Amino acid sequence: MTRIAIFASGSGSNAERITTYFADKESVSVEMFLSNNPIAGIIERGRRLGIPTVLFDKKTFSKTNKIVNLLQNQQIDLVILAGFLWLIPENLVRAFPNKIINIHPALLPKYGGKGMWGHFVHEAVVEAGEIESGITIHFVNENYDEGKVIFQAKCEVDSTDTPDEVARKVQALEHVHFPEVIEKIIANM
Ligand code: GAR
């Protein structure tokens, strides 16, 4: 059994997709959601899906071992970042080497780094006149959006697309591919 923990700071639509994808698969279990944001959509999703959801503050996350201890006590094998916005501290990266996976809503190395998240990414893509965007699923290290790339998928950006339209195309790719890529990673663990 592979036990997953999902971190999310916002709506949590990817967290929900991953949870429902694995719900009827006996070898994988989404054990918990974790969030820094008490008003994030992920909280309500956790309640509805029956997934225990843990809230934490910046100091607990960045300056203590509490989250690492919690994940280890829950025997978590794989950590998924699904729209989680804080930098992952070194103690967490070290405790889960190549076992923390992030999704980024652009084709890294373009449009990555601190402050590049959610709509800021899609605004930058439109502003630059890009003709394509997409998703990147990658391992997490101590720097924003720099770990080894596992998977990318592309979508077209039309010259008339607004950032919201690009966001919709990118999110559609995320919902299709993220659970399947996680399943493949687990198969190779
Ligand atoms: C997703 O598009 C994800 O790629 C992005 O946040 C969104 C979360 O959506 N992550 C980042 O921007 C990280 N830099 P969701 O809460 O509906 O899953």
Side-chain angles (χ1 to χ4, degrees):
M1 170 70 81
T2 301
R3 295 164 66 85
I4 295 180
I6 305 179
F7 284 68
S9 303
S11 155
S13 71
N14 279 286
E16 177 159 355
R17 279 283 299 133
I18 295 162
T19 303
T20 52
Y21 183 86
F22 288 113
D24 59 354
K25 298 196 166 46
E26 299 212 329
S27 60
V28 180
S29 159
V30 175
E31 288 294 318
M32 60 199 303
F33 292 164
L34 298 99
S35 185
N36 58 303
N37 182 356
I39 57 163
I42 184 74
I43 310 292
E44 172 53 28
R45 290 186 202 262
R47 211 171 284 137
R48 179 161 44 78
L49 295 164
I51 305 291
T53 303
V54 174
L55 272 168
F56 51 83
D57 60 24
K58 183 86 180 171
K59 186 166 168 252
T60 303
F61 185 63
S62 303
K63 304 271 184 238
T64 77
N65 262 325
K66 282 187 184 159
I67 298 299
V68 170
N69 292 343
L70 173 70
L71 296 171
Q72 289 177 334
N73 288 340
Q74 294 296 314
Q75 296 175 302
I76 296 301
D77 302 296
L78 188 65
V79 173
I80 304 295
L81 310 184
F84 182 66
L85 302 184
W86 287 352
L87 190 66
I88 302 301
E90 201 178 317
N91 62 337
L92 187 46
V93 175
R94 288 217 181 139
F96 290 88
N98 285 339
K99 297 284 186 304
I100 309 178
I101 313 292
N102 182 45
I103 191 160
H104 187 77
L107 297 170
L108 291 175
K110 285 180 152 184
Y111 305 107
K114 191 168 165 52
M116 271 294 172
W117 56 270
H119 66 97
F120 295 113
V121 175
H122 308 305
E123 281 165 14
V125 164
V126 168
E127 178 76 16
E130 296 284 356
I131 57 168
E132 63 180 17
S133 190
I135 63 172
T136 304
I137 297 169
H138 65 95
F139 290 113
V140 170
N141 63 20
E142 289 92 341
N143 302 317
Y144 278 110
D145 304 325
E146 284 186 13
K148 182 168 172 270
V149 171
I150 301 164
F151 175 88
Q152 291 188 307
K154 291 178 182 176
C155 59
E156 286 180 7
V157 177
D158 300 324
S159 57
T160 54
D161 278 352
T162 63
D164 279 351
E165 281 159 339
V166 177
R168 270 191 288 279
K169 291 179 184 179
V170 166
Q171 193 127 65
L173 288 177
E174 294 185 330
H175 290 172
V176 169
H177 292 291
F178 203 11
E180 292 176 0
V181 172
I182 292 168
E183 193 172 34
K184 285 192 185 124
I185 292 165
I186 290 170
N188 289 315
M189 267 166 58

